[in-house]
């Protein structure tokens, strides 16, 4: 059992993190803007606030031992090509403050949802895909994810960056795969609930420390 701080718990992947963490018996502090949007989950303490406020982060981090960040940039709709509505570099700025708070509370472990193509993985992306991203609303998100990676790599935290492929709300395959970028060809999609399980496994088992694996569902 671990005392966890979860950010982004009201999101489409974050809610799976909260439910799976509670199922596994962890005690969870979830910092959310609107606790009513999450509802009552046994073992989950919903703390109203915003991750953009460092004092709210301090309040939520008190008494926790590890952090899972499922934050993402908000968009005008669920369409991945929709216009971003979060402030520029939202995730990067929150992560910078979060690492400060972790230092204040002597928390070393953090597992973060990133994306395929962020940071050093950008060089491996298909040139046509990179052009499409750079000409679309997706660019802001990729830039922000890369900023998060830069911030955590410069920190003293025991970080893991889970570079997810395209997220889906439907089960994709019977098995989940994770590998360092460039070592295996990843699948196209990952089921959000499976990604949540991977994040919790990484915390529980102490795996992938200071690494940024690609994570996907492999069909049997």
């Amino acid at each position: 059992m671990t005392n966890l701080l979860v950010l982004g718990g009201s999101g489409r992947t974050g809610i799976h993190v909260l439910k799976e963490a509670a199922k596994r018996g962890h005690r969870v502090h979830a910092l959310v803007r609107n606790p009513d949007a999450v509802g009552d989950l046994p073992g989950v303490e919903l703390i109203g606030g915003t991750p953009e406020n460092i004092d709210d982060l301090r309040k939520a981090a008190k008494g926790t031992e590890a952090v899972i960040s499922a934050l993402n940039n908000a968009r005008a709709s669920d369409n991945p090509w929709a216009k971003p509505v979060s402030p520029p570099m939202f995730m990067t700025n929150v992560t910078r403050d979060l690492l400060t708070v972790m230092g204040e509370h002597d928390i070393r472990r953090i597992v973060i949802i990133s994306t395929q193509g962020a940071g050093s993985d950008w060089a491996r992306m298909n040139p046509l895909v990179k052009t499409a991203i750079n000409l679309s609303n997706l660019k802001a998100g990729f830039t922000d994810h890369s900023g998060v990676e830069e911030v955590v790599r410069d920190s003293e935290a025991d970080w893991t960056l889970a570079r997810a492929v395209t997220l889906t709300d439907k089960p994709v395959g019977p098995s989940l795969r994770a590998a360092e970028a460039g070592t295996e060809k990843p699948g196209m999609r990952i089921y959000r609930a499976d990604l949540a399980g991977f994040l919790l496994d990484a915390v529980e088992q102490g795996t992938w420390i200071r690494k940024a694996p690609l994570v996907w569902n492999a069909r049997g």
Side-chain angles (χ1 to χ4, degrees), residues 4-7 9 18 28-32 38 44-48 60:
L4 294 173
L5 168 59
V6 175
L7 302 184
L18 296 184
V28 180
H29 288 185
L31 179 61
V32 292
V38 177
V44 177
E45 180 180 351
L46 300 175
I47 299 171

Side-chain angles (χ1 to χ4, degrees), residues 67 69 71 91-92 95 99 109-121 144-155 157-165 178-181 195 198-199 202 207-215:
V67 180
S69 176
L71 291 174
M91 293 184 292
T92 302
T95 302
L99 289 165
R109 189 69 171 114
I110 180 169
V111 180
I112 300 172
I113 297 178
S114 185
T115 184
Q116 182 182 24
S120 59
D121 196 45
D144 203 357
H145 276 297
S146 294
V148 170
E149 293 212 5
E150 183 177 350
V151 167
V152 297
R153 286 180 184 277
D154 286 342
S155 76
D158 293 332
W159 52 265
T160 299
L161 293 158
R163 288 174 171 165
V165 297
E180 293 195 52
L195 176 58
F198 174 83
L199 304 176
T207 51
W208 299 104
I209 291 177
R210 301 189 71 83
K211 294 183 178 180
L214 288 168
V215 190

Side-chain angles (χ1 to χ4, degrees), residues 116-154:
Q116 182 182 24
S120 59
D121 196 45
W122 180 255
R124 299 183 182 90
M125 296 286 281
N126 181 291
L128 292 178
V129 173
K130 290 196 285 189
T131 298
I133 290 170
N134 282 330
L135 294 175
S136 73
N137 287 323
L138 292 175
K139 182 178 180 179
F142 275 83
T143 301
D144 203 357
H145 276 297
S146 294
V148 170
E149 293 212 5
E150 183 177 350
V151 167
V152 297
R153 286 180 184 277
D154 286 342

Side-chain angles (χ1 to χ4, degrees), residues 13 16-17 20-21 24 68 176 190-205 215:
T13 303
H16 288 289
V17 175
E20 183 64 19
R24 296 187 187 195
I68 294 178
L176 181 141
I190 184 167
Y191 180 35
R192 293 178 190 274
D194 288 343
L195 176 58
F198 174 83
L199 304 176
L200 286 158
D201 287 345
V203 170
E204 293 171 355
Q205 300 167 16
V215 190

